[in-house]
């Protein structure tokens, strides 16, 4: 059974899959960083300026619900 697995692993399929997983993980980190550090601030800054807010925590819905309590809830889940 070990010889069969070794033959399967050396055919290249497992090695190709491992390389794909590593490249996919790196690409995921790059895209996540691009979204978090570049795109979100570019979109969020003008929206906050238009709403006369300095921080996202100052945002309220319907004049009474402060979004800060939701941010804390979502970070603990």
């Amino acid at each position: 059974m070990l010889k069969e697995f070794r033959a399967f692993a050396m055919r290249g399929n497992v090695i190709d899959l491992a390389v794909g997983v590593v490249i996919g993980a790196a690409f995921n980190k790059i895209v996540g960083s691009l979204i978090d550090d570049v795109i979100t601030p570019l979109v969020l800054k003008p929206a906050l300026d238009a709403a006369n807010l300095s921080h996202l925590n100052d945002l309220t819905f319907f004049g009474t619900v402060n979004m800060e309590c939701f941010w804390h809830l979502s970070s603990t889940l």
Side-chain angles (χ1 to χ4, degrees):
M1 183 147 109
L2 186 60
K3 288 181 182 181
E4 292 172 0
F5 177 73
R6 185 175 290 158
F8 170 74
M10 292 313 221
R11 263 194 276 170
N13 294 340
V14 174
I15 295 170
D16 291 343
L17 179 63
V19 169
V21 167
V22 169
I23 291 173
F27 187 72
N28 185 22
K29 290 289 186 183
I30 291 170
V31 170
S33 178
L34 177 71
I35 298 285
D36 292 341
D37 299 333
V38 177
I39 294 176
T40 300
L42 286 175
V43 171
L44 191 58
K45 178 70 173 145
L48 288 175
D49 289 344
N52 294 325
L53 298 171
S54 59
H55 300 288
L56 194 57
N57 292 338
D58 298 337
L59 183 63
T60 59
F61 284 110
F62 307 115
T64 58
V65 179
N66 189 349
M67 283 304 296
E68 187 172 2
C69 63
F70 291 111
W71 301 128
H72 293 298
L73 275 176
S74 64
S75 66
T76 59
L77 296 178

